[in-house]
Amino acid sequence: MTFLVARPQQKAQQTSKLLAEKGLPAKAFPLIDIDEIDQKENTGLLSKFLNATAQKILVVTSTYAAKWLTQQALTTVLRHVDIVSIGASTANIIDNAEMNTYIESMAVAKPESSEGALSLPILTGKLNAHICILKGVGGRQLLAQQLQQRGAIVHSLDVYKRTVSQDVLRNYAFEQKQIKCIIATSVEIIDALYTQIFVQQQDWLKTLVWIVPSDRIKTQLQINGINTVYVSQGASSKALSECAEKLVITGVVNV
């Protein structure tokens, strides 16, 4: 195995499968579990937000937030909402839920990051709007802070949380010498790799090639002393596998 895919379970499997289809050996490493947070309370808060009379913009930060939104059966009150989706995969979930007839507009952030969202026309300039950010617990505050500075009234709803999988901690097994590259898609995953998985092998981690989906995660790795880091064109399995394939073709990673 060459690529260790450290992602939440479903996405780790998806990325590993796509790598295998490209002839690239990989092992799914489902280090993070995604758990919902009090759905009833959050649904009530979202409904209250949607009843505001001002312009309403809903920022959906991930596929997990999009799945939460589509499960709320709120289509009757989404009619006058503009949506900002961080990433094409997030937008696709909303599209596939057939919610578009209830949405004024949907813009997709490129690159798939807070910076990409902040550069969209709908979120630039002076904002006279109520904005609700659907997100996971923790994470960056950049989006909320910048939108507030632009004049928006910002609400943040934590609709899921990431936790380290105890099953993986107990049962993971692989030979380190077989790993040439780690694919990691969040700062939380990197923290878990450093503090719970490879506590005694941090020098070894510096010898590997890393693939991450954003400059922010790359910076975190560099703080940890890792310099061979490549940034994919987003966090989708397609973008990550294409980056991995390019590294193999150019000889950066040997399979």
Side-chain angles (χ1 to χ4, degrees), residues 66 69-71 75 91-102:
L69 176 65
T70 61
Q71 292 169 0
T75 52
N92 287 339
I93 290 173
I94 298 171
D95 280 337
N96 293 337
E98 299 181 353
M99 298 169 65
N100 285 352
T101 55
Y102 303 95

Side-chain angles (χ1 to χ4, degrees), residues 42-63:
N42 277 325
T43 300
L45 291 171
L46 182 58
S47 296
K48 183 178 180 180
F49 162 78
L50 292 169
N51 285 326
T53 56
Q55 180 190 11
K56 298 178 289 292
I57 302 173
L58 200 57
V59 180
V60 188
T61 62
S62 69
T63 56

